[in-house]
Amino acid sequence: MKIARLFLILLLAMFSPNESWEANTAQAADAVSFGPRPLFLVDDMDQGELKDKLLQCRTQSARTTDFSIGHRGASLQFPEHTKESYLAAARMGAGILECDVTFTKDKALVCRHSQCDLHLTTDILSRPELAAKCSVPFSPASENGGKASVKCCASDLTLAEFKSLNGKMDGANKQAETIVDYLKGTPGWRTDLYASNGTLMTHQESITLIDGLGLKFTPELKSAEVSMPYNGSYSQQDYAKALIADYKAAGIDPKRVFPQSFNLDDVLYWIENEPDFGAQAVFLDGRYRGNALNPDNPDTFSPSMKELSEKNVRYIAPPTWMLLAVNDEGGIVPSAYAQEAKKAGLKIITWTLERSGSLTNGGGWYYQTVKEAIDSEGDVMTVLDVLAKEVGVVGVFSDWPATTTYYANCMGID
């Protein structure tokens, strides 16, 4: 085996530079490590059986687990949807990596959280020749009702132009008077320490990278922020079909792919027209918007969990707060929403761990239904434990996958 491995390395060394970076990073997932954060969180927990159990695992070897999903990679500290962010997530044991998929002016699929976030997540505003192509040019706070305004979309640029950009940490200073100050907007609980390199990725490049790491895929078809059909001919179904086509072209086993969308029609399209991939399609549940869904009242679930199951939806993915409630004793327990999803036989994935900043004051938006039970950073482990053991989630998106990996490894979750 050692001779065969050496022979393979020598062959890889003969590749061109564009091929070799893929080969040189292909072992990233083999070198999984936790880093200091998981035990920092465990140390901060209240005394109890869960803390004791997690401390007993402090000498465990880290291993990849599908329970740990890299949300845009490892976006707590690395520019999201970049090669560097994906590699960081893989090195923390994330078994599944996410590419949010949108499209450029020439309809190339690329990894971005939304079609129009380039002013927040790239250096486009530092590139005058490309910033001039933004849908809405920069306007300082003093000229725009107290908030700076700008809108730069992937669909404003060709693929070649998009690829010339560098990723940066998501954020902006909305009170800025200049572009320089506008770009100084990274939230204090994130960091620019690893933002010097941010290699943007096409959807196809993300497939090549993730496949080379031996991991699984969860691409999200983003809502278009341009009128569809785009340019009068590129329909929503064309868009949904193109996402799956990239995996087919790469020869990826459909069982390794979990396509996602907030648009139920996209999920149903995959189920009907791409059944091999649709079997693992994930309905991202955004029905909380506008208070259309109350997680404590099943009468507000429309369609109901049973109706979703009857439509052959197998995976549902709400934000974490929709799955949790606080009981009379002040403990965190599954919500009615979680109970109904389990009763209907739906597999549950949730988002997003470690995206709220400090948990010392209730944890923010992602913990809104259990904020009275949240008062320390270590409570993230308690939340994970309830999600895994009582709600029964099969995967957790995280901005720092090492935390979820540590918990899953300790509890024997593959």
Side-chain angles (χ1 to χ4, degrees):
M1 290 296 293
K2 290 182 178 179
I3 295 175
R5 185 177 181 86
L6 178 60
F7 181 66
L8 177 60
I9 292 171
L10 290 173
L11 285 177
L12 293 176
M14 297 170 62
F15 287 172
S16 67
N18 287 336
E19 294 169 319
S20 64
W21 74 259
E22 293 166 3
N24 291 338
T25 59
Q27 301 303 316
D30 290 344
V32 177
S33 61
F34 298 122
R37 181 163 176 78
L39 282 172
F40 162 79
L41 296 171
V42 174
D43 286 342
D44 197 49
M45 295 176 67
D46 294 336
Q47 296 299 321
E49 291 183 7
L50 178 58
K51 180 172 183 174
D52 291 343
K53 169 65 175 176
L54 293 171
L55 282 174
Q56 288 172 8
C57 295
R58 61 187 178 274
T59 59
Q60 68 182 339
S61 297
R63 64 186 186 278
T64 299
T65 169
D66 290 352
F67 187 80
S68 181
I69 305 172
H71 182 241
R72 315 182 200 177
S75 53
L76 181 65
Q77 295 192 23
F78 289 80
E80 63 186 48
H81 291 309
T82 61
K83 181 185 75 173
E84 292 77 14
S85 188
Y86 292 143
L87 289 174
R91 288 163 178 156
M92 291 184 228
I96 305 174
L97 299 181
E98 179 190 43
C99 168
D100 289 329
V101 181
T102 188
F103 56 86
T104 61
K105 187 176 184 178
D106 42 359
K107 295 184 288 189
L109 300 186
V110 296
C111 299
R112 286 291 92 196
H113 176 60
S114 71
Q115 189 162 40
C116 296
D117 72 356
L118 299 187
H119 52 290
L120 300 172
T121 63
T122 77
D123 64 349
I124 189 171
L125 295 180
S126 301
R127 309 278 294 280
E129 73 285 2
L130 296 180
K133 300 186 177 188
C134 291
S135 295
V136 177
F138 176 79
S139 176
S142 59
E143 297 178 10
N144 196 47
K147 287 189 177 181
S149 175
V150 63
K151 183 179 180 180
C152 303
C153 306
S155 50
D156 293 333
L157 306 180
T158 65
L159 175 60
E161 291 168 337
F162 173 87
K163 284 287 291 176
S164 72
L165 298 172
N166 292 304
K168 75 173 189 67
M169 294 300 289
D170 182 13
N173 174 11
K174 298 295 180 65
Q175 283 71 51
E177 296 295 325
T178 66
I179 287 175
V180 171
D181 285 339
Y182 183 84
L183 294 174
K184 298 175 181 177
T186 302
W189 42 274
R190 293 182 183 152
T191 178
D192 289 316
L193 185 62
Y194 303 103
S196 58
N197 295 316
T199 307
L200 300 195
M201 304 284 286
T202 67
H203 183 225
Q204 292 176 343
E205 288 172 337
S206 78
I207 293 172
T208 299
L209 177 63
I210 296 168
D211 185 40
L213 295 168
L215 304 178
K216 296 177 182 177
F217 314 80
T218 185
E220 181 189 335
L221 194 73
K222 302 303 296 187
S223 298
E225 295 187 44
V226 293
S227 297
M228 298 291 278
Y230 179 60
N231 284 345
S233 62
Y234 192 59
S235 70
Q236 184 68 25
Q237 289 192 351
D238 292 332
Y239 182 25
K241 183 177 181 179
L243 182 147
I244 299 300
D246 280 348
Y247 292 94
K248 288 181 172 181
I252 303 298
D253 184 343
K255 292 180 181 179
R256 295 174 62 197
V257 185
F258 297 81
Q260 322 167 67
S261 181
F262 279 100
N263 182 351
L264 182 57
D265 287 340
D266 292 335
V267 174
L268 297 178
Y269 171 83
W270 290 322
I271 290 171
E272 180 177 353
N273 296 280
E274 301 286 357
D276 290 342
F277 291 88
Q280 296 192 137
V282 181
F283 174 41
L284 295 165
D285 198 348
R287 292 176 293 170
Y288 58 84
R289 298 185 180 105
N291 298 316
L293 184 154
N294 178 348
D296 292 324
N297 183 3
D299 290 340
T300 65
F301 307 169
S302 180
S304 69
M305 300 299 182
K306 181 180 178 182
E307 288 168 336
L308 286 172
S309 181
E310 289 172 346
K311 294 177 184 290
N312 292 319
V313 175
R314 294 291 175 260
Y315 290 84
I316 193 166
T320 298
W321 63 266
M322 287 175 61
L323 295 170
L324 303 175
V326 176
N327 63 16
D328 292 340
E329 290 74 40
I332 299 173
V333 296
S335 66
Y337 178 103
Q339 294 169 13
E340 288 294 308
K342 289 177 66 177
K343 188 187 302 182
L346 296 175
K347 296 181 180 180
I348 307 170
I349 298 169
T350 193
W351 44 276
T352 302
L353 210 69
E354 299 182 282
R355 195 164 180 82
S356 291
S358 175
L359 270 65
T360 56
N361 295 307
W365 188 85
Y366 290 93
Y367 300 88
Q368 57 187 280
T369 52
V370 293
K371 61 183 179 181
E372 62 192 88
I374 302 292
D375 61 13
S376 73
E377 303 295 348
D379 284 334
V380 70
M381 288 299 189
T382 302
V383 167
L384 260 179
D385 196 55
V386 175
L387 289 170
K389 294 179 180 176
E390 298 185 47
V391 174
V393 301
V394 298
V396 178
F397 281 92
S398 177
D399 280 11
W400 199 246
T403 300
T404 306
T405 301
Y406 184 94
Y407 174 86
N409 286 180
C410 186
M411 298 301 171
I413 303 173
D414 293 331

